Amino acid sequence: MAISDIQEYAHLTEADIEALGAELDAIRRDVEDSRGERDARYVQRTIAFQRSLMVAGRAVLFASKKRPAWLLGTALLGAGKIIENMELGHNVIHGQWDWMNDPEIHSSNWEWDNTCPSSGWKHSHNFTHHKYTNIVGLDNDVGYGILRITRDQEWHPKYVAQPLVNALLATFFEWGVALHHLETDKLRTGEVKWEDKREMAVDVVRKIGKQVGKDYVLFPLLTGPAWKSTLTANVVANLIRNYWSYAVIFCGHFPDGAEKFTLEEYETESQPEWYLRQMLGSANFEAGNTLAFMSGNLCYQIEHHLFPDLPSNRYAEIAPRIRQLCDKYDLPYTTGSLAHQYGQTLRTILKLSLPNRLLSATSDNAPETSSELKFRIRGGIKEVFGVDPATGRRRGLKTALGMLKEHTPVRSA
């Protein structure tokens, strides 16, 4: 089962969690108090750079009958679409730049280059996902209604096709985002009625029409004789954006160590425990400046989940402070290379296409699914609560996990 008692799982006392929450509040205040000209300059330059890429790409595609021009134009469009979706659209819609009071860069006005309307994304992502992060049954991003990524999701024969479904989701990711907003999985089961989604569906269809008209009709026609090669360039640019967005998002949510939680845990949750859930339910990947920028700084997914409305360009400076807190409270800071994080994610997707009876690890102690019960069933591990009298260091989850691994080897399948 997923985690139902985050305090027990984290091996922290109530006082520890309260103190952790206070220190995270202090980090938020520090960033809010220091926002200013350099942050505004950053987002303004990002917008100018992104728009320059798009204009240059569109201009080059007038010569797209020639292969070098097609390749260059496609690359420019693909990069521009990635930056618009990741570093601009996603972050602006989160309200990260609302403090500037600039109507052009405000969450209430920004409409992004995606088939899902920004208004719908605010609900399905900003509210549902970020409030209920990784709570099985509340967070629709736990498998997106089509993938089984924790053993808490009951297995059905349809999951045998999960590897293919995953590949299709990556390919058509922006369309998946739009359908996810409509909760099509709940519509199929009757949990949600079409009448309840009619207005939302109209918005999605309208937005799809605009996106299709722009990318696959208007811009190809503007290039005249090169319309066919421009059309294929636009298709490939959208595919580039889809694959990259998919990879970044999956690597932030589904590697080992990005834990899942039960409704029982959420019902008694305090604000400090919400912070703790974000820390334990998210994963980072290692990136330099360029990779961080192209990921919308979502290589810092832990920091983003803690502070989703703080400017993304600040996550790099926040990250060392979060690492220090993890060390102080003996908590894991889940990170790894992009390839490593996606490798673990893909392994989980492939593995959980099978029923639990064909898997060797338990539902409480598998790489992708953990709960506090794994400490109870081993016996003695729970005693690492508190401060080590020999070193004076706080003993928490990292120590408990280390003891469990050292004294009770667990099969990884």
Side-chain angles (χ1 to χ4, degrees):
M1 60 177 289
I3 297 166
S4 61
D5 188 330
I6 198 169
Q7 179 178 327
E8 180 180 350
Y9 182 80
H11 287 73
L12 296 177
T13 65
E14 185 175 344
D16 288 333
I17 297 175
E18 289 294 325
L20 173 64
E23 296 201 60
L24 290 167
D25 282 339
I27 292 175
R28 166 178 280 281
R29 286 194 299 270
D30 288 346
V31 176
E32 288 178 335
D33 292 344
S34 62
R35 290 178 303 197
E37 181 57 34
R38 74 181 175 103
D39 303 294
R41 191 163 53 248
Y42 172 82
V43 70
Q44 289 162 350
R45 287 177 175 175
T46 298
I47 291 172
F49 176 60
Q50 186 272 335
R51 290 177 178 174
S52 296
L53 287 176
M54 297 300 290
V55 170
R58 297 296 182 194
V60 170
L61 288 178
F62 275 88
S64 60
K65 282 189 171 183
K66 298 180 179 179
R67 187 164 183 78
W70 186 92
L71 290 171
L72 177 59
T74 301
L76 290 169
L77 285 187
K81 284 175 173 287
I82 285 172
I83 295 168
E84 196 287 328
N85 270 197
M86 306 302 289
E87 183 66 336
L88 291 175
H90 171 268
N91 294 335
V92 171
I93 295 170
H94 259 300
Q96 293 182 8
W97 309 99
D98 286 2
W99 58 274
M100 293 172 58
N101 293 316
D102 183 336
E104 184 184 4
I105 318 173
H106 198 279
S107 61
S108 61
N109 297 326
W110 192 278
E111 188 56 64
W112 62 344
D113 182 31
N114 198 289
T115 54
C116 179
S118 60
S119 59
W121 180 256
K122 287 177 188 176
H123 176 76
S124 60
H125 181 77
N126 293 9
F127 175 75
T128 303
H129 173 58
H130 277 271
K131 180 175 181 178
Y132 304 121
T133 307
N134 284 17
I135 297 174
V136 180
L138 287 181
D139 182 5
N140 294 329
D141 284 21
V142 178
Y144 302 101
I146 56 175
L147 297 175
R148 182 176 185 245
I149 49 84
T150 174
R151 301 185 192 214
D152 295 278
Q153 295 169 284
E154 183 180 356
W155 184 85
H156 295 286
K158 67 179 182 181
Y159 289 123
V160 172
Q162 185 158 288
L164 175 60
V165 172
N166 177 60
L168 291 173
L169 177 60
T171 303
F172 301 103
F173 195 65
E174 69 164 322
W175 302 89
V177 168
L179 294 176
H180 178 56
H181 165 55
L182 289 176
E183 298 183 295
T184 51
D185 57 316
K186 294 181 180 178
L187 287 170
R188 289 195 306 269
T189 62
E191 186 178 345
V192 174
K193 303 299 182 184
W194 271 109
E195 309 84 82
D196 302 327
K197 294 289 184 178
R198 183 174 289 110
E199 184 176 347
M200 196 178 293
V202 170
D203 289 339
V204 170
V205 170
R206 186 181 296 120
K207 185 66 190 297
I208 288 174
K210 289 180 180 179
Q211 292 298 112
V212 170
K214 170 177 68 72
D215 281 342
Y216 304 134
V217 179
L218 176 61
F219 282 119
L221 288 178
L222 286 176
T223 59
W227 72 269
K228 286 185 179 179
S229 52
T230 299
L231 175 62
T232 61
N234 287 346
V235 169
V236 173
N238 279 325
L239 286 173
I240 291 170
R241 183 269 316 279
N242 287 351
Y243 284 124
W244 180 245
S245 300
Y246 154 87
V248 168
I249 291 171
F250 271 50
C251 286
H253 295 88
F254 304 136
D256 298 354
E259 306 297 353
K260 316 304 181 294
F261 306 87
T262 65
L263 180 60
E264 181 182 359
E265 191 285 322
Y266 169 74
E267 287 174 337
T268 59
E269 185 176 77
S270 64
Q271 174 62 30
E273 288 173 331
W274 180 89
Y275 274 138
L276 183 56
R277 175 159 58 84
Q278 305 309 312
M279 295 173 75
L280 297 180
S282 309
N284 287 5
F285 62 83
E286 296 156 3
N289 292 336
T290 300
L291 188 56
F293 177 71
M294 294 303 291
S295 72
N297 282 289
L298 292 180
C299 54
Y300 301 106
Q301 192 70 235
I302 297 170
E303 290 72 21
H304 173 62
H305 270 267
L306 287 168
F307 310 113
D309 57 348
L310 292 184
S312 59
N313 63 308
R314 295 298 195 95
Y315 291 153
E317 65 186 59
I318 293 172
R321 299 178 67 177
I322 303 303
R323 279 182 178 267
Q324 289 173 1
L325 287 180
C326 287
D327 289 340
K328 180 177 181 178
Y329 291 91
D330 201 28
L331 296 170
Y333 185 85
T334 304
T335 190
S337 69
L338 181 62
H340 179 265
Q341 300 299 72
Y342 184 70
Q344 289 187 339
T345 298
L346 185 59
R347 182 214 61 209
T348 293
I349 291 170
L350 296 176
K351 183 173 65 175
L352 293 188
S353 65
L354 303 174
N356 287 352
R357 60 185 173 81
L358 298 181
L359 306 175
S360 56
T362 72
S363 295
D364 296 305
N365 194 16
E368 78 292 335
T369 307
S370 296
S371 84
E372 66 277 6
L373 296 182
K374 72 178 180 180
F375 299 109
R376 295 181 192 173
I377 61 178
R378 300 307 180 193
I381 303 299
K382 188 177 178 181
E383 300 305 315
V384 299
F385 269 107
V387 175
D388 186 339
T391 64
R393 287 180 55 83
R394 185 180 276 103
R395 295 179 298 189
L397 179 56
K398 276 173 50 176
T399 298
L401 291 172
M403 292 176 64
L404 187 65
K405 184 177 181 180
E406 179 180 353
H407 297 296
T408 315
V410 177
R411 290 173 292 179
S412 61

